[in-house]
Amino acid sequence: MTTTFEPRADDALPRAERLVVGVDGGGSKTRALVARPDGTVVGSADGPGSAVRGGGVQHSVDVIAACVRDALAAAGDADARPAALAAGVAGV
């Protein structure tokens, strides 16, 4: 299933507010994608596994945060606060 987000008519919004982030956190790898509302991927980053395991929640948080920061940097907006973030993480 593919969902397309319609951009707001107000092009005066900061670029970051027109970005969305998706995270796939698995046992062996974590991937973060940054996309425009139309679904065009503009940045991505991979990192180590971030599956939640007993006593390892902070590790998962740290890996996911690093991947999101790296993906935003790859999109040219390292300090951005995207409009939305969705994550699927193994073990949750």
Side-chain angles (χ1 to χ4, degrees):
M1 178 176 155
T2 301
T3 302
T4 302
F5 297 92
E6 294 299 321
R8 294 184 196 173
D10 184 0
D11 288 332
L13 287 172
R15 180 177 179 268
E17 289 186 26
R18 295 187 306 257
L19 297 175
V20 295
V21 176
V23 178
D24 178 7
S28 62
K29 174 175 81 172
T30 300
R31 173 168 288 165
L33 297 176
V34 178
R36 294 185 189 125
D38 68 1
T40 303
V41 175
V42 294
S44 66
D46 291 334
S50 61
V52 177
R53 296 187 169 99
V57 172
Q58 189 59 51
H59 169 76
S60 299
V61 169
D62 294 342
V63 169
I64 292 167
C67 279
V68 170
R69 277 192 302 270
D70 291 349
L72 289 168
D77 247 329
D79 297 323
R81 293 184 69 172
L85 183 142
V89 181
V92 175

